[in-house]
Amino acid sequence: MDNQKFDNLIKKHSSNMLSMYNKANSDNVQSDSDEFKALSDTQTANQITANDDSKTYEQFLEDNQNTGTLKVQVSTGEQSLPIAGAKVSIRKKLKDGIKVFSRTVTDENGISDKIVLRAPDRKHSLDSDDPVSAYASYEILVTHPYFVQQTNLNCQIFDGIKSIQLMNMAPYDTVSEKSKKGAN
């Protein structure tokens, strides 16, 4: 592919992404929408592996009194184009149910930043014989109306550390085109 065709392809994709962003914003997408809450809360517990079935929510908070931060970067095209307006949910399965710790929406750069999450004390990472995990594990669920849902089942959060999670989403058109090609 020559440079001219490549530049035209990038411009077209960028234009499509911008129009999707504008449509999403015109629909008043909000992190607390009923649809977002339903999607985040209704998946079965078996789908969430960032869990601690033996602890209640209160026990988890007691064992994880420190915090770390999380930055989620959502994009498409192998991180070439950010996805604005993607809904990001951070959750964990505990003995007393699935707990949602954060619901955010990505900005125009595809970023949801400064998400503060509970983590165990960093002292547990200094001794390899320490039976307490050095991190807390969470599930990240990212949705957008024009992209296939993405999930990270084991995002590790450490005390005093900023974790960065890249989430690459595929547009629905791309997925259906690949499916059709695979069927032939």
Side-chain angles (χ1 to χ4, degrees):
M1 179 181 295
D2 69 349
N3 286 342
Q4 180 71 27
K5 287 182 182 179
F6 181 75
D7 288 343
N8 289 340
L9 182 63
I10 293 295
K11 287 178 185 175
K12 180 180 176 185
H13 189 68
S14 180
S15 175
N16 288 342
M17 294 302 299
L18 185 57
S19 70
M20 283 190 267
Y21 170 72
N22 289 336
K23 178 167 178 9
N25 283 338
S26 70
D27 292 340
N28 294 323
V29 176
Q30 297 178 359
S31 62
D32 290 333
S33 71
D34 292 337
E35 175 189 352
F36 186 41
K37 286 181 182 178
L39 179 60
S40 298
D41 297 337
T42 58
Q43 286 189 330
T44 65
N46 293 336
Q47 293 173 299
I48 300 178
T49 60
N51 63 53
D52 195 339
D53 291 5
S54 64
K55 294 181 182 178
T56 64
Y57 178 66
E58 289 76 24
Q59 290 168 327
F60 174 78
L61 294 179
E62 180 67 29
D63 292 346
N64 296 277
Q65 294 189 11
N66 297 323
T67 61
T69 58
L70 175 64
K71 175 181 180 178
V72 179
Q73 294 179 233
V74 182
S75 60
T76 189
E78 302 298 324
Q79 283 90 40
S80 63
L81 294 170
I83 299 175
K87 298 173 184 178
V88 179
S89 177
I90 314 297
R91 58 197 192 165
K92 184 174 187 70
K93 180 183 171 196
L94 296 162
K95 186 176 183 178
D96 48 358
I98 298 167
K99 298 296 179 185
V100 177
F101 288 84
S102 175
R103 287 188 177 103
T104 62
V105 177
T106 58
D107 63 16
E108 65 276 0
N109 297 310
I111 294 174
S112 185
D113 200 2
K114 299 177 183 169
I115 302 167
V116 178
L117 297 168
R118 294 288 191 114
D121 192 303
R122 71 180 74 201
K123 70 181 180 185
H124 300 296
S125 65
L126 302 175
D127 182 3
S128 61
D129 294 329
D130 193 330
V132 177
S133 177
Y135 60 86
S137 182
Y138 295 87
E139 178 188 274
I140 302 173
L141 174 69
V142 180
T143 61
H144 191 282
Y146 301 112
F147 295 89
V148 178
Q149 172 182 303
Q150 290 297 309
T151 306
N152 176 328
L153 299 174
N154 187 24
C155 178
Q156 300 172 356
I157 302 297
F158 294 85
D159 176 21
I161 302 293
K162 182 176 193 169
S163 300
I164 300 173
Q165 180 62 55
L166 304 177
M167 303 293 284
N168 191 48
M169 300 184 84
Y172 279 117
D173 291 305
T174 303
V175 173
S176 60
E177 289 171 15
K178 287 181 181 179
S179 297
K180 289 176 188 175
K181 289 179 183 177
N184 292 332

